[in-house]
Amino acid sequence: MSTPTDTEAAQILVNGYQKLKTELSKRIVGQDDVIEQVFIAMAAGGHALLEGVPGLAKTLLVKSFADAMHLGFRRIQFTPDLMPADITGTEIIQEDADTGRRKLIFMRGPIFSQIILADEINRTPPKTQAALLEAMQEHSVTVGQETFALPRPFFVLATQNPIEQEGTYPLPEAQKDRFLFLIKVAYPTRDDEREILARTTGTISSVIEPVLSGEELQQAQTLARRVPVPDHVTDFVLDLVRATRTTEEGVSTYVKQMVGWGAGPRASQHLILAGKVRALLRGRTHMTVDDVEALAYPVLRHRIVPTFHAEAEGVTVDHIVKHLLENTRRPQGSRVL
């Protein structure tokens, strides 16, 4: 079978995404932006952190994504007593039936799957969080003298509750930076909530059929990296991200007052990678400034640390990102309809 051209591969990606949305709509009402952002993160080869109050179907959304793909899935419920070995696995002593000698055997933990749902990641201590985040970064687990590779593709979709902070362990900023997106899951609209009530309090049942394979996702990741990025788009990304840093020359007074720490180079990398996938999903063969503006919030909101002054004034990170977008010069004639 011949290898598809880039144009054919892009069409396969778009068709696969449309089928995925159709399958997800059997269970998930609304949340179109959230679904798109989760898919973009996966097609870009990154991980996503979903944040929202209880009852907004964050866990159901991730489980539905797994059902719609030919990928292995494991859910890890994070609790205060969860240990790193409960995630990565542990060595046990086992007797060899032939020789009678005992030896250490590594029993793989739930991390050895392709889609990991890290449910309520902020409910477990930093040591356990770090075990997961190390695997996310290295795509491997080291136990003793041996290193075990994780399956490919490998995605971590984590959830956290932003309002219930007693007894929780918020992710350190350096560890949140490992996630490509921080996706806010909002309350449904009135019409969507009416549909949710009809589905969940009646006799409707839904079975999601798998429509995407791991191989197709890996092809999407490879294809996305070949999408060209014009110089003016790269300049816009650099201007936007560097404007978050208070040490940058010419940074605005607003940023100096409201931002304690700005975004690092990984923000620029992730804006470009995610923007390339968004361009493909919209039938374009090149990235535009529109892609950057559309994805600036999920890429930057967990990489900017507001000052105490900002918190006292009720200024959120999303307010800061909005200010940055409004005050970063957009190249002339770059708007795509």
Side-chain angles (χ1 to χ4, degrees):
M1 187 176 178
S2 60
T3 304
T5 64
D6 284 357
T7 303
E8 292 170 339
Q11 192 57 51
I12 291 171
L13 173 65
V14 173
N15 292 341
Y17 174 59
Q18 294 301 328
K19 291 177 183 176
L20 179 77
K21 286 203 301 182
T22 299
E23 290 300 314
L24 292 180
S25 67
K26 294 177 180 178
R27 286 186 192 161
I28 306 299
V29 179
Q31 304 291 8
D32 292 340
D33 289 343
V34 174
I35 289 172
E36 182 183 57
Q37 288 170 17
V38 171
F39 182 79
I40 288 174
M42 297 177 74
H47 312 286
L49 180 60
L50 282 75
E51 184 176 278
V53 300
L56 296 184
K58 299 184 297 296
T59 301
L60 178 63
L61 174 66
V62 176
K63 179 64 169 65
S64 300
F65 257 93
D67 290 344
M69 298 180 179
H70 294 276
L71 296 176
F73 171 76
R74 295 293 295 271
R75 172 183 175 180
I76 305 173
Q77 182 65 52
F78 281 73
T79 56
D81 59 348
L82 196 72
M83 299 297 290
D86 296 328
I87 296 174
T88 59
T90 188
E91 289 184 317
I92 64 170
I93 298 175
Q94 194 172 73
E95 187 175 293
D96 191 306
D98 297 327
T99 64
R101 303 177 79 176
R102 293 181 177 180
K103 58 181 179 180
L104 285 173
I105 299 293
F106 178 62
M107 298 293 291
R108 299 187 175 206
I111 195 73
F112 287 89
S113 193
Q114 291 174 301
I115 297 182
I116 303 297
L117 167 56
D119 218 358
E120 297 189 287
I121 192 173
N122 56 334
R123 289 204 171 278
T124 203
K127 184 177 181 179
T128 306
Q129 291 174 354
L132 172 69
L133 295 163
E134 180 184 0
M136 289 165 52
Q137 184 71 15
E138 306 300 332
H139 284 261
S140 62
V141 170
T142 300
V143 178
Q145 301 297 316
E146 284 192 86
T147 298
F148 302 89
L150 293 171
R152 300 266 184 163
F154 175 72
F155 308 105
V156 172
L157 302 175
T159 69
Q160 65 177 9
N161 175 0
I163 60 171
E164 192 177 336
Q165 295 302 324
E166 279 191 32
T168 64
Y169 307 84
L171 285 173
E173 306 305 326
Q175 294 187 359
K176 283 195 287 190
D177 195 43
R178 308 275 181 92
F179 289 94
L180 192 150
F181 284 160
L182 169 55
I183 301 170
K184 297 274 191 178
V185 183
Y187 288 111
T189 64
R190 183 182 181 88
D191 288 342
D192 285 344
E193 192 161 358
R194 180 184 293 275
E195 178 63 22
I196 291 169
L197 290 174
R199 292 192 189 188
T200 56
T201 61
T203 58
I204 299 174
S205 61
S206 55
V207 177
I208 291 182
E209 299 294 334
V211 294
L212 272 177
S213 67
E215 183 182 359
E216 288 171 328
L217 275 175
Q218 288 180 297
Q219 289 172 353
Q221 292 169 16
T222 302
L223 176 64
R225 289 184 173 271
R226 294 202 292 267
V227 173
V229 182
D231 287 343
H232 71 272
V233 176
T234 301
D235 289 337
F236 184 77
V237 169
L238 289 170
D239 290 344
L240 180 64
V241 174
R242 295 181 72 85
T244 67
R245 302 168 190 166
T246 56
T247 55
E248 187 73 11
E249 185 179 347
V251 71
S252 70
T253 302
Y254 177 90
V255 170
K256 288 181 178 178
Q257 291 178 341
M258 302 300 176
V259 177
W261 293 97
R266 195 176 277 149
S268 303
Q269 296 168 348
H270 285 174
L271 266 174
I272 294 288
L273 276 174
K276 289 181 173 187
V277 176
R278 186 179 185 273
L280 289 172
L281 293 181
R282 276 155 179 73
R284 286 187 270 107
T285 56
H286 63 282
M287 186 176 160
T288 71
V289 171
D290 287 329
D291 299 316
V292 180
E293 291 183 330
L295 300 174
Y297 288 95
V299 169
L300 293 176
R301 61 167 54 111
H302 56 303
R303 295 183 164 98
I304 295 175
V305 181
T307 59
F308 289 117
H309 175 70
E311 293 176 353
E313 293 291 321
V315 174
T316 66
V317 175
D318 279 9
H319 290 142
I320 295 170
V321 175
K322 184 174 185 290
H323 169 87
L324 292 168
L325 287 171
E326 290 173 347
N327 290 274
T328 300
R329 187 178 63 83
R330 185 187 177 104
Q332 293 296 319
S334 59
R335 182 166 294 282
V336 175
L337 299 177

